[in-house]
Amino acid sequence: MAAAAAVAAVMVVAVVAAAASAASPAAAGESTREFRWEVGYMTVAPLGVSQKVIAVNNQLPGPVLNVTTNWNVRVNVQNNLDEPLLLTWDGIQMRMNSWQDGVAGTNCPIPPGWNWTYQFQLKDQIGSFFYFPSLGLQRAAGGYGPITVNNRAVVPVPFAQPDGDIDVFIGDWYTKSHVELRKMLDDGKDLGIPDGILINGKGPYSYDNSLVPEGIQHETIGVEPGKTYRFRVHNVGTSTSLNFRIQNHNMRLVEAEGTYTLQQNFTNLDIHVGQSYSFLVTMDQNASTDYYIVASPRFVTDDHRWHDVTGVAILQYSNSKGKASGPLPDGPNDFYYKSYSMDQAKSIQMNTTSGAARPNPQGSFKYGSINITQTFILKNELPLRINGKRRRTINRISYSPPETPLRLADLHNLTGVYKTDFPTIFNNSTPKMASSVLNASYKGFLEIIFQNNDTDVQTYHLDGYSFFVVGMEYGEWTPDRRISYNKWAAVFRSTTQVFPGAWTAILVSLDNVGIWNLRSEKLDNWYNGQEVYVKVADPLGYNITEMIIPDNALYCGLLKNLQKPQIHQTSDKSSAHAADRWSMRILAMVC
Ligand SMILES: *[C@@H]1O[C@H](CO)[C@@H](O)[C@H](O)[C@H]1NC(C)=O
Ligand SMILES: *[C@@H]1O[C@H](CO)[C@@H](O)[C@H](O)[C@H]1NC(C)=O
Ligand SMILES: *[C@@H]1O[C@H](CO)[C@@H](O)[C@H](O)[C@H]1NC(C)=O
Ligand SMILES: *[C@@H]1O[C@H](CO)[C@@H](O)[C@H](O)[C@H]1NC(C)=O
Ligand SMILES: *[C@@H]1O[C@H](CO)[C@@H](O)[C@H](O)[C@H]1NC(C)=O
Ligand SMILES: *[C@@H]1O[C@H](CO)[C@@H](O)[C@H](O)[C@H]1NC(C)=O
Ligand SMILES: *[C@@H]1O[C@H](CO)[C@@H](O)[C@H](O)[C@H]1NC(C)=O
Ligand SMILES: *[C@@H]1O[C@H](CO)[C@@H](O)[C@H](O)[C@H]1NC(C)=O
Ligand SMILES: *[C@@H]1O[C@H](CO)[C@@H](O)[C@H](O)[C@H]1NC(C)=O
Ligand SMILES: *[C@@H]1O[C@H](CO)[C@@H](O)[C@H](O)[C@H]1NC(C)=O
Ligand SMILES: *[C@@H]1O[C@H](CO)[C@@H](O)[C@H](O)[C@H]1NC(C)=O
């Protein structure tokens, strides 16, 4: 992502241009690329147990959305599931365009059997991101894939062009379906220890045949000796923080969610749920054997079963002389070094002299000298009981998604769908379910303190924005901690971890009008209500600082009468009949 300065400059341009072009997301002069995706079930057995997973074009991970800054993109999504679907674009900012964000607060879901076309421009972003289905825990069944936003040829990257690009998706995995997992959460249960860690949708290499049953297919990444590859690694799991490492290889960190970092070598890095990083890895070993690629759980209990779930893939040189064998490379042992992971996270800083999507230095926006105009202190706690249900909260509010998307309700002047009364500071009020929204001021400079009162690592993601991660420390945040903020080179990203019993402070320049999802990236916590929307309104901005609603917008909830039925082709896919039955039901419900 460009530094906010560039963003601010772009905003001016965009506002001027908006008078002419906001109504159409396809800005003049930029080409439009079309993608057609079918989202449906596929039966595979990544951990040796046959299960229905969600695939895009019959692939898991799905196809790469390989695009370049400023392109206009159209993605036609055919929903062949038996459930409503929305795809969201993690880390893509959807400038002035929350209509395309693909979360329940801004979009009505695509009914089963229907298709819907997302249309957006990749405005001033570069880097490694991913898409995934945002509703009802569907990501626990897959449906994810890479988004690579390439730099324009005129903007250099701060490293030699790598010899290849390798996407790596790591994540905890259950052999239960997302429907069963939902039921467990509805029944107030924990999901428990996952059944495995997948790498690119595949189970572990049999590094120990007492732990890995026979017949499991693992991922093999083939490489050429001497070459340097860009590994784009994403944690798309349900709720487990993972440590990522490649045996005998240095991983040079170059990018975190669209920001070029100060380059440094890691032998391993903690990647929390929803986070993305790029590493340059040089194939500088002698290929006496293949090498292990490992993703192992972090911050878990000492239950021995955690030891049995480790993701293992194989790095294979073209001149490899044999199989990988022996013990896996060690992960961190922080028994004696409690702040290992936090110190590692704090060492990730922005390279302030390199450009990103634009040639401007990333550090040209002097965020450290801007006055904060608003502060939210958002605290999550252990699960709380609300009306007898076990729920997750932020500031004692467990989000209850209204049937009508918030942004649609506003556009149609519907009151009572939600309230902008989300408490900006934690207090000890009785926990409750509510459709409450945080009210933020357009053009303000917002400070958010995430205070994690749980015993587990938390990750938060904000749609529509990147933010500066200026501080994290153990204990309770107090205003005097601002003195410890990184005011010069904080990393600028969209997903941050908050360690247990600790706080993380972020700064956000509120330059993107819309209603934006702020969520726990941990699917179980998210599903149980740990999310909120941040409303950044410009009352005079519709069709000026905000795009108008797209022609193809879907309607639901209180606005369902506005929805026209979709005549969809009876596809020859086997799931189409089930989908048809479902869509008839949905049609009956919706229309
Ligand atoms: C992605 O696009 C870039 C630039 O257009 C191209 O060089 C690269 O080969 C593409 N990668 C994939 C995986 O398609
Ligand atoms: C999507 O739906 C439209 C009708 O709204 C139809 O014309 C089109 O063929 C459909 N596309 C696909 C891929 O099914
Ligand atoms: C920062 O970016 C500059 C400019 O692209 C590059 O020359 C330099 O090597 C980078 N520094 C580090 C430590 O990554
Ligand atoms: C980082 O690792 C690469 C590849 O192993 C190596 O060439 C380089 O010297 C290392 N850099 C530092 C600063 O250690
Ligand atoms: C290859 O590297 C390994 C580990 O660094 C070393 O133990 C081994 O002796 C080397 N083999 C050859 C043939 O150089
Ligand atoms: C920030 O606030 C201080 C005092 O509160 C004021 O002196 C300064 O001018 C403000 N800076 C900006 C850029 O508004
Ligand atoms: C909502 O209210 C605004 C301002 O009063 C009005 O211009 C607009 O037409 C209304 N929209 C609808 C859908 O009624
Ligand atoms: C505490 O938060 C609740 C909303 O959860 C709010 O209604 C109440 O006014 C707040 N109390 C104080 C003292 O701020
Ligand atoms: C929300 O914030 C805006 C901008 O600061 C303000 O005009 C509006 O009155 C606020 N609305 C509520 C309900 O607090
Ligand atoms: C949670 O908050 C309580 C009350 O402030 C405090 O005593 C406790 O140490 C906190 N626990 C964690 C893990 O932060
Ligand atoms: C948006 O602005 C354009 C250009 O001024 C205008 O032609 C169009 O009618 C406007 N659309 C709406 C819905 O206001």
Side-chain angles (χ1 to χ4, degrees):
M1 186 31 241
V7 170
V10 169
M11 212 42 216
V12 175
V13 175
V15 170
V16 173
S21 72
S24 151
E30 290 294 343
S31 58
T32 296
R33 308 297 157 114
E34 299 246 0
F35 298 82
R36 295 185 89 80
W37 289 353
E38 293 199 4
V39 181
Y41 293 116
M42 177 170 88
T43 301
V44 290
L47 294 174
V49 178
S50 267
Q51 60 185 129
K52 257 188 349 185
V53 304
I54 298 177
V56 180
N57 291 352
N58 282 315
Q59 300 165 47
L60 178 64
V64 60
L65 189 69
N66 185 30
V67 290
T68 298
T69 319
N70 295 357
W71 278 10
N72 295 297
V73 172
R74 289 167 54 87
V75 187
N76 181 277
V77 175
Q78 167 71 39
N79 178 9
N80 288 338
L81 302 176
D82 56 1
E83 311 185 327
L85 170 74
L86 282 175
L87 288 185
T88 192
W89 318 89
D90 207 279
I92 299 297
Q93 290 183 0
M94 300 297 170
R95 297 202 69 81
M96 311 193 293
N97 200 1
S98 59
W99 305 113
Q100 306 290 334
D101 200 30
V103 288
T106 50
N107 294 75
C108 291
I110 309 168
W114 289 37
N115 73 67
W116 197 68
T117 303
Y118 289 86
Q119 296 187 57
F120 51 88
Q121 190 182 14
L122 280 310
K123 283 211 173 102
D124 289 286
Q125 278 194 280
I126 49 100
S128 314
F129 312 97
F130 62 95
Y131 59 84
F132 70 91
S134 69
L135 300 177
L137 226 62
Q138 285 171 353
R139 191 176 81 210
Y144 52 77
I147 305 175
T148 300
V149 187
N150 301 291
N151 54 301
R152 289 177 295 144
V154 295
V155 184
V157 292
F159 43 81
Q161 192 61 40
D163 297 301
D165 241 27
I166 297 170
D167 281 297
V168 181
F169 284 90
I170 58 178
D172 58 1
W173 187 262
Y174 294 86
T175 53
K176 289 196 175 72
S177 72
H178 64 291
V179 178
E180 290 168 287
L181 295 174
R182 279 201 301 246
K183 171 115 192 355
M184 289 174 74
L185 294 176
D186 290 339
D187 292 346
K189 294 186 185 131
D190 257 334
L191 299 183
I193 297 176
D195 300 298
I197 310 290
L198 302 194
I199 299 186
N200 286 345
K202 297 196 176 116
Y205 170 76
S206 184
Y207 64 102
D208 175 339
N209 48 26
S210 72
L211 293 177
V212 183
E214 258 175 54
I216 301 239
Q217 244 194 39
H218 64 269
E219 173 75 344
T220 300
I221 293 171
V223 292
E224 294 296 325
K227 301 234 150 132
T228 297
Y229 297 85
R230 180 172 181 172
F231 282 69
R232 301 177 190 256
V233 188
H234 316 267
N235 184 337
V236 285
T238 298
S239 73
T240 310
S241 296
L242 297 172
N243 182 267
F244 182 77
R245 51 198 186 271
I246 306 178
Q247 188 176 30
N248 284 15
H249 289 77
N250 273 321
M251 311 191 300
R252 181 193 283 254
L253 180 72
V254 294
E255 181 222 337
E257 291 155 24
T259 292
Y260 292 126
T261 60
L262 281 180
Q263 294 171 23
Q264 56 173 320
N265 282 342
F266 285 93
T267 52
N268 70 81
L269 186 69
D270 285 342
I271 306 183
H272 303 276
V273 179
Q275 293 187 321
S276 302
Y277 290 105
S278 288
F279 304 97
L280 295 184
V281 184
T282 300
M283 301 305 142
D284 55 6
Q285 296 300 299
N286 64 21
S288 54
T289 62
D290 294 344
Y291 298 95
Y292 293 126
I293 298 173
V294 180
S296 59
R298 292 282 279 148
F299 299 95
V300 294
T301 61
D302 47 21
D303 187 318
H304 73 277
R305 286 173 301 163
W306 275 111
H307 178 74
D308 302 351
V309 289
T310 301
V312 185
I314 290 298
L315 181 74
Q316 185 167 66
Y317 283 43
S318 60
N319 61 341
S320 173
K321 293 175 201 72
K323 292 195 165 181
S325 63
L328 301 176
D330 285 334
N333 176 349
D334 20 28
F335 189 77
Y336 296 106
Y337 183 0
K338 292 283 177 226
S339 60
Y340 179 89
S341 190
M342 189 186 277
D343 288 350
Q344 203 183 39
K346 285 188 188 174
S347 77
I348 299 174
Q349 300 200 50
M350 166 162 48
N351 181 340
T352 56
T353 61
S354 70
R358 318 184 123 233
N360 321 41
Q362 295 187 123
S364 62
F365 179 74
K366 301 281 180 253
Y367 70 90
S369 58
I370 296 178
N371 289 338
I372 291 164
T373 59
Q374 238 181 330
T375 298
F376 297 157
I377 302 176
L378 305 181
K379 187 183 216 170
N380 68 284
E381 299 165 89
L382 290 164
L384 299 173
R385 292 219 154 256
I386 304 177
N387 310 328
K389 289 236 168 217
R390 192 165 176 268
R391 299 283 301 179
R392 291 280 174 172
T393 55
I394 299 173
N395 287 0
R396 298 272 160 109
I397 305 282
S398 190
Y399 185 71
S400 166
E403 265 190 76
T404 316
L406 314 171
R407 186 64 197 90
L408 266 186
D410 276 355
L411 187 66
H412 288 268
N413 305 324
L414 300 175
T415 52
V417 169
Y418 70 93
K419 287 192 179 147
T420 12
D421 64 349
F422 197 94
T424 56
I425 294 187
F426 176 83
N427 74 37
N428 281 315
S429 60
T430 310
K432 63 176 184 191
M433 305 274 297
S435 309
S436 272
V437 167
L438 276 163
N439 191 34
S441 313
Y442 176 49
K443 293 191 173 159
F445 198 61
L446 172 66
E447 174 189 46
I448 304 182
I449 313 299
F450 296 109
Q451 181 78 51
N452 183 359
N453 194 237
D454 198 348
T455 50
D456 213 357
V457 184
Q458 186 53 261
T459 35
Y460 285 100
H461 174 88
L462 176 60
D463 282 358
Y465 289 94
S466 288
F467 46 70
F468 297 93
V469 183
V470 291
M472 47 178 85
E473 279 176 23
Y474 286 100
E476 286 281 318
W477 180 86
T478 48
D480 65 336
R481 298 322 300 147
R482 286 181 182 134
I483 200 152
S484 71
Y485 285 3
N486 178 343
K487 294 202 168 73
W488 301 274
V491 67
F492 188 58
R493 64 187 310 174
S494 57
T495 310
T496 186
Q497 70 272 53
V498 192
F499 291 97
W503 54 266
T504 295
I506 65 169
L507 298 178
V508 198
S509 179
L510 296 172
D511 57 6
N512 194 13
V513 173
I515 294 190
W516 302 106
N517 190 223
L518 175 61
R519 61 173 171 268
S520 165
E521 280 278 357
K522 292 190 158 194
L523 296 181
D524 45 357
N525 293 1
W526 183 10
Y527 183 82
N528 274 335
Q530 199 174 323
E531 70 171 320
V532 58
Y533 283 81
V534 180
K535 178 168 172 174
V536 184
D538 175 8
L540 303 174
Y542 188 62
N543 204 9
I544 301 170
T545 48
E546 187 184 22
M547 288 182 187
I548 61 165
I549 188 168
D551 297 342
N552 64 345
L554 296 172
Y555 293 91
C556 55
L558 296 172
L559 296 167
K560 65 184 178 208
N561 292 334
L562 298 177
Q563 181 61 49
K564 294 186 196 74
Q566 186 177 94
I567 318 296
H568 49 90
Q569 297 162 338
T570 351
S571 123
D572 45 29
K573 295 283 168 299
S574 54
S575 57
H577 293 295
D580 278 350
R581 278 203 308 282
W582 269 87
S583 61
M584 293 331 281
R585 275 166 66 183
I586 297 272
L587 268 169
M589 277 155 45
V590 168
C591 305

